[in-house]
Structures are given as C-alpha cells and as structure tokens.
Amino acid sequence: MNLESLKSEIEANVPGCRLEIVSNPSLSGQHSLLLGPSRALEVALFLRDAEALRFDYCSNVTGIDWPAPTTKGKVKEMGEGFEDDAEEEEAQLTGHLEAVYHLYSMEKKHGPVILRMKTEDRVERVHLPSLTPVWRSADFQEREIFDLFGIVFDGHPDLRRILMWDEFEDHPMRRDYVEPDDYEYEPTAHDDVLRKTQQHHGGAA
Amino acid sequence: MDEALKTELAKQGIFTTTLQELYNWGRRSSLWPLNFGLACCAIEMIATTMARYDLARFGAEVFRPSPRQADLMIVAGTITKKMAPQVVRLYNQMPEPKYVISMGACAISGGPFKQGYNVLKGIDRYIPVDIYIPGCPPRPEALIDAFMALQKKIDAQQLTGDNRPRHLNAAEPSEFPVPHFGAHDLEPPQNPEVWHPPLVNISVSTADIDESGIA
C-alpha cells in the first residue's frame, strides 16, 4: 500500500488531522505515519471503518523512549543547521516518548500500516489518546506501555499497571531507569555488574 | 545400639528401633508437596509425579492444594518480585515441620533473569532452603535426587541437642517476614536473618579492567 496515497486519503476524510510520513531508510523500508494526537481517534476510526481500508486488526502496540540528547553542543549545532522553531528545539532538549501501532486488515488482506504518536516531553506532558476504543486488542498493550514507559493513554477503559505492582513508581523500559541495587551476590560478575558487586563488598573484591 | 547387633536381631525376627528413627522415618516417607508451580520447572515437576518417573515411590505423590496440609514446598520456577510475597506467605502458612526445595536456576539465583529488575534473585533471600537443584529446568531425575537428598537429611536429624531441627526448637522462627511492595523494589530486598551473600572471590586479573579500585 502506498503511504503517500493513504496519507492524502486520510487527510481528505479527516479534516484537521496532522500526518507526517516517517521514512525508514533501512532495507526493510517500513515507513510509518506520524499522527498528531489531537485527531488521532478519528483517524483510527477512519482507518478501521473506511470501505477500501478496513484495518480491523491491531497486531502490536509498543513504546519507544527518546531521551534528551546528552551533549548540548550537538543539539545547538543541529538547531542552527536546521533552523528549528522554538517548539521543536524544546522537544529536542526534553526528549519524548512514542507509541507505535501496527495495523493489518484481515478482510482486505493488506498491511501493515504503522502509526506513531509522540508525547510532548517525558515528564509532565506524557498524555496520548488511547486507541483501545477502536481496537480492543490494544488494551493490555497500552497498559504495558503505561507501566513500562509511562505514557498516559486518555480514554483507556482500565489504565492500570499490568506487569509491575501498583505501588511501583518507576518506568523500567525508559533509558534513564535506575534498577534496584541487589547485586550482593554475583558469582560470574563482569563489567557493570562486577562494579556494582564490588560496591557491595566495600569497593574491592 | 550397635548396628551389627541390630542387623543380627532383625535376621532373627526381632525388630529394634529408636523413637528418633521412627519419627524421622515417618516424616521422610510422607513428604507431601504443596501443589503449585511458577514457571517451566513446574512442567518437569509435574512430569516427575506422573507414571514414567513416579514420585509416589518416595511417598510424595500427594500434592496438596492447601499449604495447611503440605510438608514440602518445591519452588519450581522464576519468582518475579510481584510473586515473591505470595510465595513467602504460602510458606508461612505451612505447618512445621516444613522443607523447601529450590528447583532450577531461577529459584536458586534468578537464573537467566538475574540481572533484570523484576525477578527475585533466589527464594533463599526470604525463606530457608533445604535443597538446591541446578538446571534449566532440572530433569525429573534431578528432582528425584533432590527428594532422596532431603530424605537423607531428615533421616540424619537429631531430636534433641543443639543440632535439632528448627521445628523442635521453640527459639527458632517458623514464619518469616513477608516483603512489601515498595516504590522501587521489594522492601526489604532480602531477609538478613535468613540470607547472607555467599562469599565469592570476584577479583579479576588487572588486565581485564582499569587499575582503579580492584585488587
């Protein structure tokens, strides 16, 4: 399926939606559609219900963490080079989270179409619209993303942690997650684990 | 009593024994495991109870669905941190005398998930373990071997004296604190009364790593 034509078809039918093609330069060439969160639900409904598309099956939902770049010089250089506007520059500094949906059509036997949605940052503005009302199969997977990445899906029928316990506060799949330090006993320690074990044994083995 | 004399008397049809022998014989011959499994090791445990390996030969065929009726906890599988409090609670609900077999790499140390954030690094951090079986998963023969090792251990226990088992010593605990779900990890991360980090030599040759900090 041609993503360009799909994009223009969605834009014609869902006025006011923000769509952008994210190209994948690798061999797999799985290009995806970056979807603005504001009209995401309408776009999803259109993809599911339009006669020619009928994307009735959401096979996978996953999250991605894009932390802020650590080297500030690089950000500045990029900002100057591409002359980003203020909003995009801020997004560069704070990083963001992303949810990725893989859609197929059982009826028309086509797919996948890959949808992406970005949060505004990684701390406060981490809300995205839930697509569970459109595809029921996204229920547990959006809960998993909420649990492990910390994206809050507005409109989800039952947004609770699914893998970790309710009292847990961290989001383990984020790249800056600090795991609990229970490295007292590591019989075959090496590299990072060796360093952590040594800290438990007074700095030296 | 002299062992040779005992054997001779047995040949003549006279059976002699001691209270300790009878008591240990009774305990080791009716070890009823608690009926629960945590991961793939449980499949091997189930296979052990079936006709091919036939755990019933060791008096352990009755898997009890209630901890109140069980003597033996076979911790068969990965203990996630979310599951650990329930395992400790089940152990606490078992009446004394009770024994624990830690089956497989995960139950011993966390196994392949040892350096993850969500798997407990061995059930012995919270409850005392009698027998460890390595393997991923251990074969039924290994579980049977663990059973026989546990039976030997029970057979050798003294009913009196300082070395008597825990259930005959009122000063020893029969219940252990259940960890709580904390904000970042289980609290406490281990029970220092039960578990001490084994002393291992973790030094490496200085060629492998920079000079700072290591012998």
Side-chain angles (χ1 to χ4, degrees), chain A residues 165 169-170 182 184-185 198, chain B residues 114 121 182-184 190 214:
Chain A
W165 49 89
E169 285 176 4
D170 302 331
D182 45 6
E184 300 94 334
Y185 173 50
Q198 281 164 346
Chain B
K114 185 171 174 59
K121 296 179 175 184
H184 307 287
Q190 75 266 334
I214 341 162

Side-chain angles (χ1 to χ4, degrees), chain A residues 148 161-165 167-170 172-173 177 179-187 189-191 193-195 197-198 201 203-205, chain B residues 81-82 109 114-121 125 181-186 189-190 195 197-204 209-210 213-215:
Chain A
L148 302 183
R161 282 185 180 273
I162 190 170
L163 295 173
M164 305 306 284
W165 49 89
E167 295 85 347
F168 197 71
E169 285 176 4
D170 302 331
M173 289 295 276
Y177 171 67
E179 62 195 339
D181 185 10
D182 45 6
Y183 287 87
E184 300 94 334
Y185 173 50
E186 297 291 333
H190 53 86
D191 300 337
V193 176
L194 179 63
R195 272 186 283 281
T197 311
Q198 281 164 346
H201 294 275
Chain B
K81 285 177 178 172
K82 201 173 177 181
S109 70
K114 185 171 174 59
Q115 280 143 24
Y117 57 91
N118 62 336
V119 170
L120 184 70
K121 296 179 175 184
R125 284 177 180 244
F181 291 133
H184 307 287
D185 196 6
L186 289 176
Q190 75 266 334
W195 189 75
L199 284 174
V200 283
N201 185 9
I202 56 168
S203 65
V204 290
I209 205 155
D210 60 351
I214 341 162

Side-chain angles (χ1 to χ4, degrees), chain A residues 66-131:
Chain A
W66 299 99
T70 44
T71 47
K72 282 182 180 170
K74 201 177 169 187
V75 175
K76 201 179 172 188
E77 194 180 292
M78 278 178 71
E80 280 168 5
F82 292 99
E83 289 180 15
D84 288 338
D85 58 358
E87 193 188 317
E88 274 195 60
E89 200 167 315
E90 194 190 352
Q92 286 276 355
L93 286 173
T94 55
H96 61 271
L97 302 165
E98 196 170 49
V100 186
Y101 295 74
H102 284 232
L103 309 177
Y104 290 84
S105 172
M106 290 280 172
E107 193 181 309
K108 301 280 178 192
K109 303 212 184 317
H110 60 207
V113 159
I114 301 153
L115 293 183
R116 293 162 176 263
M117 284 194 288
K118 279 181 184 177
T119 63
E120 286 174 64
D121 63 20
R122 300 172 70 247
V123 193
E124 292 290 322
R125 293 172 291 173
V126 290
H127 290 254
L128 286 180
S130 167
L131 300 187

Side-chain angles (χ1 to χ4, degrees), chain B residues 18-82:
Chain B
T18 60
L19 186 62
Q20 179 175 306
E21 273 175 29
L22 267 179
Y23 183 82
N24 286 344
W25 169 77
R27 276 192 302 145
R28 77 164 156 79
S29 306
S30 63
L31 280 171
W32 288 2
L34 181 58
N35 190 359
F36 85 112
L38 294 168
C40 26
C41 281
I43 305 297
E44 297 295 305
M45 180 181 75
I46 294 160
T48 315
T49 66
M50 291 292 124
R52 187 180 177 91
Y53 296 99
D54 199 11
L55 199 62
R57 293 174 293 160
F58 303 90
E61 74 276 25
V62 199
F63 273 64
R64 304 313 296 187
S66 160
R68 302 294 187 199
Q69 301 167 348
D71 310 296
L72 171 65
M73 175 180 250
I74 302 173
V75 185
T78 314
I79 311 125
T80 59
K81 285 177 178 172
K82 201 173 177 181

